[in-house]
Amino acid sequence: MKFINDDFMLENKQASRLYHEYAENQPIIDYHCHLNPEEVASDKTWKNISQVWLYGDHYKWRAMRSNGVDEHFCTGSASDRDKFQKFAETMPYLLRNPLYHWSHLELARSFGIDDLLLSDETADEIWTRTEEILKGGLSARSLMEKNKVLVVCTTDDPADSLEHHIAASKAGMKTKMLPTWRPDKVLAIEKDFWPAYINRLSEVSGVNIGSYNDLVAALRRRHQFFHDHGCRLSDHSLETIYAADFTDQEVHGIFNSALIGKTVSEDDGLKFKTALMLEFGRMDAEKGWTKQLHIGALRNNNSRMFRQIGPDTGFDSIDDQPVARPLSHFLDLLERENSLPKTILYNLNPKDNEVLATMIGNFQDGSIAGKIQLGSGWWFLDQKDGIQRQIEALSQLGILGRFVGMLTDSRSFLSYARHEYF
C-alpha cells in the first residue's frame, strides 16, 4: 500500500466513513495564517519546489540544521536545487516528526506524487516532476481553490496599508482574503525601533502622536480602517499575559519617556503593555471582533543568528512562564467592564492545556456558544500527539462540539494538507 493513500492515518472503517463521508469535502476557513497578502493578490507562481517549499519555512530549516546541514543550504546563497537536495537527504531521518507526514501529504495532494518517498535517491525525480507541474501554472490562488479555501485571514500590522487585500477584493477572487489586526510592534516599547514605529503609525493614521491619548486615538482610527476592510479578528503573540497594576498617570509618563528614547524598565513596560492590551480588548468588544492570544513562545534565542538573518528563522522554542494568574486577571479586568470580546486562547507549552481548558469556562457568559475558546494545537503542538492532547483536554473540561477548529498558522500555500492531517 502507498504511504499516502485514501485512508492515510485512518485506522478502522468508522474512521474512514467519518472522514470520507463528512470531513473530507468540507471547505476550509483558514482564520489564522502568515501568508504574504501580496503573493495572494498577485497570484504568485514558482519556478521550482524549493521556492514554494523551502523559502521562509523555518520548520524545515530547523530540521536541516539538526541534521548537520550548513546554513548556506537553509537561508544562504546555495542554489535552489542544492537546497532541495539537502532537505531530501534530511527527510529519512524525520520519522515521527510531523514534517515527514506533512511533506509527503503535500507532495501527494499538490503534485500527485504518492508513489515515492523523498530521499537522496528520489530527489532528482521529484524535482523534475514537481518542476513540470509548476510550469503548468500552479499558483497561489489555484492552490487555494484546489483545497476549497473559502476564507483566508492574514496577519497584519496596524500601520499596513491593506493595499493587497483591497486589490484581491477587486480582482474577484474565489477565496476571500481578510486582514487580521496584529499590534505586536506597538506593544514593544522596550525595543530600539519603537519610537520610529510610532512615527510611522502617526503618518498612516493622520494623528500627531505626542501623548498616550494620541496613541490610543491613532490606534482606534486604524482599528476602524481594518474593520472597514473586512477585519473581524485580532491577534497577539505574547510570552505571557500582561496584567500589571497601573495608574493612568504612570502610563502617560512611561509613554512620554519612551517616545524621546529613554530606556523603559521591565516593570514599566508591563504596565504600558497591560494598559494597551485592555484598550485593544475594548476596541475588539465594541466592534464584535474575536481576539486571539498566542501564549508561550520564547523567541530569537540564538542572538548571533538573529543578528545575521533576523526573526522567524527557526530559533524559537517553548517558554515556561506561569500563565494562569495573569491570564485570569487580564480576562477578569475586561469582564468587569463588560468589554471581554470573543476570545481564542492558544498555548505553546503543553503543561498549559488543562490550565487554558478550564480557564475558558470561567468567562463564558451565555451570550454565544463557545465565546471563549481553547485554540487548536499550535506550532510545536501542531502534530498528532499535540492535536490529540488538545482535543482530550477540551473534550473532558469543556465542550468539544463547540470547538472553533483547525487553522494552518503557515507561510506556505501547500500547508492546507494540514487540515487533512487534523
Side-chain angles (χ1 to χ4, degrees), residues 67-80:
N67 197 43
V69 174
D70 188 83
E71 194 66 29
H72 176 66
F73 299 99
C74 299
T75 63
S77 59
S79 69
D80 287 348

Side-chain angles (χ1 to χ4, degrees), residues 127-376:
W127 175 271
T128 300
R129 288 169 63 176
T130 55
E131 191 173 39
E132 288 302 313
I133 292 169
L134 289 166
K135 285 179 181 178
L138 197 67
S139 68
R141 293 190 201 174
S142 67
L143 281 167
M144 297 168 101
E145 291 171 12
K146 178 184 177 69
N147 286 283
K148 301 185 289 293
V149 182
L150 288 184
V151 179
V152 60
C153 297
T154 57
T155 303
D156 310 280
D157 186 89
D160 287 348
S161 67
L162 303 186
E163 61 186 290
H164 303 299
H165 297 81
I166 296 168
S169 178
K170 291 179 179 179
M173 282 175 48
K174 291 183 179 179
T175 299
K176 181 181 288 188
M177 179 171 69
L178 299 174
T180 298
W181 169 270
R182 176 81 170 251
D184 290 355
K185 288 182 180 178
V186 75
L187 289 169
I189 192 170
E190 74 282 1
K191 300 293 186 181
D192 292 339
F193 66 74
W194 189 82
Y197 176 77
I198 297 302
N199 288 336
R200 182 184 172 212
L201 187 63
S202 181
E203 291 174 6
V204 299
S205 67
V207 176
N208 183 22
I209 303 176
S211 68
Y212 179 75
N213 286 341
D214 294 336
L215 174 62
V216 174
L219 289 166
R220 282 190 167 273
R221 185 172 291 187
R222 296 304 295 171
H223 198 271
Q224 182 64 52
F225 175 76
F226 271 56
H227 187 82
D228 292 342
H229 287 89
C231 180
R232 297 296 184 270
L233 290 166
S234 66
D235 182 41
H236 307 269
S237 177
L238 309 171
E239 291 184 1
T240 188
I241 299 298
Y242 309 128
D245 294 328
F246 64 88
T247 65
D248 290 345
Q249 183 178 0
E250 285 177 320
V251 173
H252 285 262
I254 293 164
F255 172 89
N256 293 336
S257 295
L259 194 62
I260 60 175
K262 290 187 178 180
T263 301
V264 175
S265 69
E266 183 176 352
D267 285 346
D268 282 348
L270 286 174
K271 292 176 181 179
F272 175 82
K273 293 173 184 181
T274 302
L276 262 191
M277 283 296 295
L278 292 173
E279 289 291 349
F280 292 141
R282 295 178 188 118
M283 293 180 201
D284 291 352
E286 290 166 9
K287 295 279 196 316
W289 288 15
T290 297
K291 179 178 290 299
Q292 299 174 95
L293 299 177
H294 285 86
I295 306 165
L298 185 60
R299 298 180 183 273
N300 306 317
N301 294 272
N302 189 323
S303 58
R304 179 179 65 84
M305 294 306 294
F306 176 72
R307 289 192 299 269
Q308 183 175 324
I309 57 178
D312 303 320
T313 50
F315 298 97
D316 307 323
S317 59
I318 295 172
D319 205 345
D320 62 353
Q321 294 194 46
V323 299
R325 289 183 181 275
L327 178 58
S328 174
H329 186 45
F330 172 73
L331 296 176
D332 189 56
L333 288 171
L334 289 172
E335 174 66 20
R336 288 179 201 175
E337 56 184 74
N338 198 29
S339 295
L340 180 61
K342 291 174 286 186
T343 302
I344 307 174
L345 306 176
Y346 306 87
N347 58 287
L348 193 55
N349 194 319
K351 75 176 177 61
D352 297 323
N353 276 339
E354 284 75 15
V355 171
L356 267 60
T358 55
M359 186 66 68
I360 64 174
N362 297 331
F363 297 97
Q364 310 287 9
D365 61 10
S367 62
I368 184 174
K371 176 181 176 179
I372 314 298
Q373 290 272 344
L374 176 64
S376 57

